[in-house]
Amino acid sequence: ALGQDVPLALLVARAAQRHAEALDLGTVAVYRVGGEQARPVHSGSLREALAALDGDFAGTPDLLVTDAGALDLDELHLPHALTLSVGRVQGGRAALTLNGPVDPAQGARFLASVATTLEEPIILVI
């Protein structure tokens, strides 16, 4: 329907954005591998979110989503932000890793919620 590729990190970021309140997070951004800056993740349609990836993010996001799999890694964390890392896709599955100052129980619930949302990707399109 979109006629273009959708980065896995964007889908994960949109899922994380839906559950950001669980960790008291405000802003979510995607760190694009090969890019120098984080890109904002906007709510709204998937088309709007894809278009926003071309914009710049001013400041430091509350959560930075990274695509470690793009570098053939299982985890990629940046020291200046709470990061949600998407690992290599193997057999249609990828690991999600949350790194930073977060309560382990809250972090586990957040990751479970993000994973559940990713299992129903139609939610991320609208």
Side-chain angles (χ1 to χ4, degrees):
L2 294 170
Q4 56 188 318
D5 291 331
V6 178
L8 178 58
L10 176 60
L11 295 176
V12 172
R14 284 177 62 90
Q17 191 175 47
R18 290 185 170 266
H19 304 286
E21 72 282 346
L23 296 179
D24 294 323
L25 303 173
T27 56
V28 177
V30 175
Y31 177 77
R32 295 182 72 180
V33 173
E36 296 178 9
Q37 206 170 12
R39 302 295 184 208
V41 176
H42 295 287
S43 49
S45 73
L46 187 57
R47 285 183 197 267
E48 293 168 347
L50 276 168
L53 282 181
D54 293 330
D56 289 334
F57 187 82
T60 302
D62 293 329
L63 178 66
L64 187 60
V65 178
T66 64
D67 185 355
L71 295 173
D72 202 30
L73 299 171
D74 292 319
E75 295 180 27
L76 176 65
H77 301 288
L78 302 175
H80 64 280
L82 176 66
T83 57
L84 175 58
S85 184
V86 183
R88 290 177 276 206
V89 176
Q90 297 174 347
R93 298 179 150 231
L96 296 176
T97 307
L98 186 64
N99 186 39
V102 64
D103 175 74
Q106 283 182 307
R109 284 190 297 272
F110 172 76
L111 286 174
S113 297
V114 169
T116 298
T117 301
L118 288 169
E119 290 173 358
E120 300 178 29
I122 191 65
I123 294 171
L124 303 174
V125 175
I126 51 177

mmCIF file of all heavy atoms in Angstrom, residues 13-42:
data_model
loop_
_atom_site.group_PDB
_atom_site.id
_atom_site.type_symbol
_atom_site.label_atom_id
_atom_site.label_comp_id
_atom_site.label_asym_id
_atom_site.label_seq_id
_atom_site.Cartn_x
_atom_site.Cartn_y
_atom_site.Cartn_z
ATOM 1 N N ALA A 13 9.879 1.498 16.704
ATOM 2 C CA ALA A 13 9.732 2.795 17.360
ATOM 3 C C ALA A 13 8.261 3.184 17.496
ATOM 4 O O ALA A 13 7.849 3.731 18.520
ATOM 5 C CB ALA A 13 10.495 3.864 16.581
ATOM 6 N N ARG A 14 7.463 2.901 16.486
ATOM 7 C CA ARG A 14 6.028 3.206 16.577
ATOM 8 C C ARG A 14 5.358 2.347 17.654
ATOM 9 O O ARG A 14 4.500 2.815 18.386
ATOM 10 C CB ARG A 14 5.356 3.016 15.226
ATOM 11 C CG ARG A 14 5.665 4.163 14.274
ATOM 12 C CD ARG A 14 5.067 3.968 12.905
ATOM 13 N NE ARG A 14 3.617 3.900 12.868
ATOM 14 C CZ ARG A 14 2.814 4.954 12.709
ATOM 15 N NH1 ARG A 14 3.326 6.170 12.638
ATOM 16 N NH2 ARG A 14 1.507 4.785 12.635
ATOM 17 N N ALA A 15 5.787 1.089 17.759
ATOM 18 C CA ALA A 15 5.251 0.228 18.818
ATOM 19 C C ALA A 15 5.685 0.752 20.180
ATOM 20 O O ALA A 15 4.886 0.808 21.122
ATOM 21 C CB ALA A 15 5.722 -1.214 18.618
ATOM 22 N N ALA A 16 6.943 1.156 20.298
ATOM 23 C CA ALA A 16 7.448 1.690 21.566
ATOM 24 C C ALA A 16 6.723 2.980 21.939
ATOM 25 O O ALA A 16 6.411 3.209 23.113
ATOM 26 C CB ALA A 16 8.947 1.938 21.466
ATOM 27 N N GLN A 17 6.427 3.787 20.946
ATOM 28 C CA GLN A 17 5.734 5.055 21.191
ATOM 29 C C GLN A 17 4.346 4.821 21.786
ATOM 30 O O GLN A 17 3.889 5.568 22.636
ATOM 31 C CB GLN A 17 5.645 5.827 19.885
ATOM 32 C CG GLN A 17 5.190 7.243 20.015
ATOM 33 C CD GLN A 17 5.266 7.949 18.684
ATOM 34 O OE1 GLN A 17 4.822 7.407 17.676
ATOM 35 N NE2 GLN A 17 5.815 9.144 18.683
ATOM 36 N N ARG A 18 3.706 3.745 21.355
ATOM 37 C CA ARG A 18 2.373 3.419 21.875
ATOM 38 C C ARG A 18 2.405 3.047 23.357
ATOM 39 O O ARG A 18 1.394 3.111 24.036
ATOM 40 C CB ARG A 18 1.752 2.277 21.080
ATOM 41 C CG ARG A 18 1.370 2.678 19.680
ATOM 42 C CD ARG A 18 0.652 1.542 18.986
ATOM 43 N NE ARG A 18 0.090 1.999 17.751
ATOM 44 C CZ ARG A 18 -1.159 2.445 17.599
ATOM 45 N NH1 ARG A 18 -1.970 2.473 18.623
ATOM 46 N NH2 ARG A 18 -1.594 2.851 16.429
ATOM 47 N N HIS A 19 3.566 2.621 23.840
ATOM 48 C CA HIS A 19 3.684 2.181 25.231
ATOM 49 C C HIS A 19 4.652 3.051 26.032
ATOM 50 O O HIS A 19 5.073 2.663 27.121
ATOM 51 C CB HIS A 19 4.125 0.714 25.265
ATOM 52 C CG HIS A 19 3.204 -0.174 24.502
ATOM 53 N ND1 HIS A 19 1.956 -0.523 24.975
ATOM 54 C CD2 HIS A 19 3.322 -0.738 23.272
ATOM 55 C CE1 HIS A 19 1.348 -1.281 24.083
ATOM 56 N NE2 HIS A 19 2.154 -1.430 23.046
ATOM 57 N N ALA A 20 4.999 4.197 25.513
ATOM 58 C CA ALA A 20 5.988 5.079 26.138
ATOM 59 C C ALA A 20 5.589 5.525 27.536
ATOM 60 O O ALA A 20 6.443 5.710 28.400
ATOM 61 C CB ALA A 20 6.246 6.299 25.246
ATOM 62 N N GLU A 21 4.293 5.663 27.768
ATOM 63 C CA GLU A 21 3.844 6.128 29.080
ATOM 64 C C GLU A 21 4.199 5.137 30.186
ATOM 65 O O GLU A 21 4.334 5.517 31.345
ATOM 66 C CB GLU A 21 2.337 6.417 29.083
ATOM 67 C CG GLU A 21 1.448 5.197 29.038
ATOM 68 C CD GLU A 21 1.307 4.538 27.664
ATOM 69 O OE1 GLU A 21 1.674 5.149 26.644
ATOM 70 O OE2 GLU A 21 0.824 3.389 27.624
ATOM 71 N N ALA A 22 4.404 3.872 29.846
ATOM 72 C CA ALA A 22 4.770 2.868 30.849
ATOM 73 C C ALA A 22 6.122 3.182 31.495
ATOM 74 O O ALA A 22 6.379 2.777 32.629
ATOM 75 C CB ALA A 22 4.798 1.476 30.226
ATOM 76 N N LEU A 23 6.975 3.908 30.763
ATOM 77 C CA LEU A 23 8.282 4.293 31.287
ATOM 78 C C LEU A 23 8.385 5.807 31.478
ATOM 79 O O LEU A 23 9.483 6.340 31.640
ATOM 80 C CB LEU A 23 9.394 3.818 30.348
ATOM 81 C CG LEU A 23 9.553 2.314 30.175
ATOM 82 C CD1 LEU A 23 10.672 2.008 29.193
ATOM 83 C CD2 LEU A 23 9.815 1.641 31.499
ATOM 84 N N ASP A 24 7.250 6.487 31.408
ATOM 85 C CA ASP A 24 7.221 7.958 31.513
ATOM 86 C C ASP A 24 8.105 8.618 30.459
ATOM 87 O O ASP A 24 8.853 9.564 30.747
ATOM 88 C CB ASP A 24 7.634 8.421 32.914
ATOM 89 C CG ASP A 24 6.648 8.000 33.981
ATOM 90 O OD1 ASP A 24 5.424 8.009 33.688
ATOM 91 O OD2 ASP A 24 7.086 7.649 35.080
ATOM 92 N N LEU A 25 8.025 8.124 29.237
ATOM 93 C CA LEU A 25 8.808 8.659 28.132
ATOM 94 C C LEU A 25 7.966 9.624 27.314
ATOM 95 O O LEU A 25 6.778 9.398 27.108
ATOM 96 C CB LEU A 25 9.294 7.533 27.219
ATOM 97 C CG LEU A 25 10.132 6.440 27.865
ATOM 98 C CD1 LEU A 25 10.393 5.318 26.879
ATOM 99 C CD2 LEU A 25 11.431 7.014 28.381
ATOM 100 N N GLY A 26 8.595 10.665 26.824
ATOM 101 C CA GLY A 26 7.895 11.608 25.972
ATOM 102 C C GLY A 26 8.257 11.434 24.515
ATOM 103 O O GLY A 26 7.427 11.108 23.683
ATOM 104 N N THR A 27 9.516 11.610 24.193
ATOM 105 C CA THR A 27 9.947 11.588 22.792
ATOM 106 C C THR A 27 10.633 10.277 22.432
ATOM 107 O O THR A 27 11.401 9.724 23.209
ATOM 108 C CB THR A 27 10.906 12.752 22.498
ATOM 109 O OG1 THR A 27 12.004 12.691 23.411
ATOM 110 C CG2 THR A 27 10.205 14.086 22.633
ATOM 111 N N VAL A 28 10.338 9.805 21.239
ATOM 112 C CA VAL A 28 10.954 8.589 20.694
ATOM 113 C C VAL A 28 11.573 8.966 19.354
ATOM 114 O O VAL A 28 10.957 9.657 18.550
ATOM 115 C CB VAL A 28 9.911 7.466 20.500
ATOM 116 C CG1 VAL A 28 10.548 6.241 19.874
ATOM 117 C CG2 VAL A 28 9.249 7.121 21.829
ATOM 118 N N ALA A 29 12.787 8.507 19.129
ATOM 119 C CA ALA A 29 13.474 8.781 17.869
ATOM 120 C C ALA A 29 14.154 7.514 17.382
ATOM 121 O O ALA A 29 14.405 6.590 18.154
ATOM 122 C CB ALA A 29 14.498 9.901 18.046
ATOM 123 N N VAL A 30 14.444 7.482 16.093
ATOM 124 C CA VAL A 30 15.140 6.359 15.466
ATOM 125 C C VAL A 30 16.537 6.816 15.090
ATOM 126 O O VAL A 30 16.709 7.861 14.454
ATOM 127 C CB VAL A 30 14.401 5.882 14.187
ATOM 128 C CG1 VAL A 30 15.200 4.807 13.471
ATOM 129 C CG2 VAL A 30 13.019 5.373 14.530
ATOM 130 N N TYR A 31 17.526 6.037 15.488
ATOM 131 C CA TYR A 31 18.898 6.285 15.057
ATOM 132 C C TYR A 31 19.108 5.476 13.799
ATOM 133 O O TYR A 31 19.104 4.245 13.831
ATOM 134 C CB TYR A 31 19.897 5.872 16.135
ATOM 135 C CG TYR A 31 21.324 6.046 15.715
ATOM 136 C CD1 TYR A 31 21.911 7.302 15.708
ATOM 137 C CD2 TYR A 31 22.083 4.957 15.309
ATOM 138 C CE1 TYR A 31 23.228 7.477 15.316
ATOM 139 C CE2 TYR A 31 23.401 5.116 14.913
ATOM 140 C CZ TYR A 31 23.962 6.378 14.912
ATOM 141 O OH TYR A 31 25.262 6.547 14.516
ATOM 142 N N ARG A 32 19.252 6.158 12.690
ATOM 143 C CA ARG A 32 19.425 5.465 11.417
ATOM 144 C C ARG A 32 20.893 5.153 11.210
ATOM 145 O O ARG A 32 21.735 6.051 11.217
ATOM 146 C CB ARG A 32 18.883 6.303 10.282
ATOM 147 C CG ARG A 32 17.366 6.462 10.428
ATOM 148 C CD ARG A 32 16.768 7.229 9.324
ATOM 149 N NE ARG A 32 16.777 6.411 8.118
ATOM 150 C CZ ARG A 32 16.293 6.838 6.967
ATOM 151 N NH1 ARG A 32 15.767 8.021 6.862
ATOM 152 N NH2 ARG A 32 16.329 6.057 5.913
ATOM 153 N N VAL A 33 21.193 3.887 11.036
ATOM 154 C CA VAL A 33 22.567 3.453 10.828
ATOM 155 C C VAL A 33 23.084 4.121 9.559
ATOM 156 O O VAL A 33 22.423 4.139 8.530
ATOM 157 C CB VAL A 33 22.641 1.916 10.709
ATOM 158 C CG1 VAL A 33 24.033 1.472 10.334
ATOM 159 C CG2 VAL A 33 22.207 1.295 12.023
ATOM 160 N N GLY A 34 24.261 4.696 9.658
ATOM 161 C CA GLY A 34 24.837 5.425 8.542
ATOM 162 C C GLY A 34 24.490 6.905 8.603
ATOM 163 O O GLY A 34 25.093 7.718 7.934
ATOM 164 N N GLY A 35 23.529 7.246 9.418
ATOM 165 C CA GLY A 35 23.171 8.649 9.606
ATOM 166 C C GLY A 35 23.953 9.207 10.772
ATOM 167 O O GLY A 35 24.594 8.493 11.529
ATOM 168 N N GLU A 36 23.909 10.494 10.920
ATOM 169 C CA GLU A 36 24.652 11.119 12.000
ATOM 170 C C GLU A 36 23.745 11.584 13.121
ATOM 171 O O GLU A 36 24.222 12.021 14.150
ATOM 172 C CB GLU A 36 25.447 12.306 11.456
ATOM 173 C CG GLU A 36 26.497 11.891 10.451
ATOM 174 C CD GLU A 36 27.235 13.091 9.891
ATOM 175 O OE1 GLU A 36 27.056 14.209 10.408
ATOM 176 O OE2 GLU A 36 27.993 12.904 8.940
ATOM 177 N N GLN A 37 22.452 11.511 12.908
ATOM 178 C CA GLN A 37 21.543 12.089 13.884
ATOM 179 C C GLN A 37 20.308 11.216 14.028
ATOM 180 O O GLN A 37 19.947 10.468 13.126
ATOM 181 C CB GLN A 37 21.127 13.471 13.389
ATOM 182 C CG GLN A 37 20.735 14.406 14.470
ATOM 183 C CD GLN A 37 20.577 15.812 13.909
ATOM 184 O OE1 GLN A 37 20.545 16.030 12.709
ATOM 185 N NE2 GLN A 37 20.468 16.765 14.792
ATOM 186 N N ALA A 38 19.665 11.339 15.165
ATOM 187 C CA ALA A 38 18.403 10.639 15.386
ATOM 188 C C ALA A 38 17.313 11.306 14.569
ATOM 189 O O ALA A 38 17.383 12.495 14.282
ATOM 190 C CB ALA A 38 18.049 10.684 16.871
ATOM 191 N N ARG A 39 16.330 10.511 14.191
ATOM 192 C CA ARG A 39 15.190 11.027 13.431
ATOM 193 C C ARG A 39 13.939 10.857 14.282
ATOM 194 O O ARG A 39 13.748 9.816 14.903
ATOM 195 C CB ARG A 39 15.028 10.275 12.117
ATOM 196 C CG ARG A 39 16.253 10.329 11.228
ATOM 197 C CD ARG A 39 16.512 11.746 10.781
ATOM 198 N NE ARG A 39 17.634 11.765 9.840
ATOM 199 C CZ ARG A 39 18.421 12.791 9.679
ATOM 200 N NH1 ARG A 39 18.228 13.879 10.371
ATOM 201 N NH2 ARG A 39 19.398 12.747 8.820
ATOM 202 N N PRO A 40 13.079 11.861 14.318
ATOM 203 C CA PRO A 40 11.894 11.794 15.171
ATOM 204 C C PRO A 40 10.888 10.758 14.683
ATOM 205 O O PRO A 40 10.817 10.458 13.494
ATOM 206 C CB PRO A 40 11.308 13.198 15.064
ATOM 207 C CG PRO A 40 11.755 13.665 13.714
ATOM 208 C CD PRO A 40 13.117 13.061 13.508
ATOM 209 N N VAL A 41 10.118 10.235 15.601
ATOM 210 C CA VAL A 41 9.019 9.334 15.270
ATOM 211 C C VAL A 41 7.739 10.066 15.636
ATOM 212 O O VAL A 41 7.542 10.446 16.787
ATOM 213 C CB VAL A 41 9.121 7.998 16.039
ATOM 214 C CG1 VAL A 41 7.923 7.121 15.752
ATOM 215 C CG2 VAL A 41 10.406 7.288 15.679
ATOM 216 N N HIS A 42 6.911 10.293 14.634
ATOM 217 C CA HIS A 42 5.664 11.022 14.844
ATOM 218 C C HIS A 42 4.492 10.055 14.832
ATOM 219 O O HIS A 42 4.497 9.064 14.112
ATOM 220 C CB HIS A 42 5.469 12.068 13.748
ATOM 221 C CG HIS A 42 6.511 13.134 13.780
ATOM 222 N ND1 HIS A 42 6.545 14.117 14.730
ATOM 223 C CD2 HIS A 42 7.574 13.368 12.969
ATOM 224 C CE1 HIS A 42 7.568 14.915 14.509
ATOM 225 N NE2 HIS A 42 8.215 14.473 13.453
#
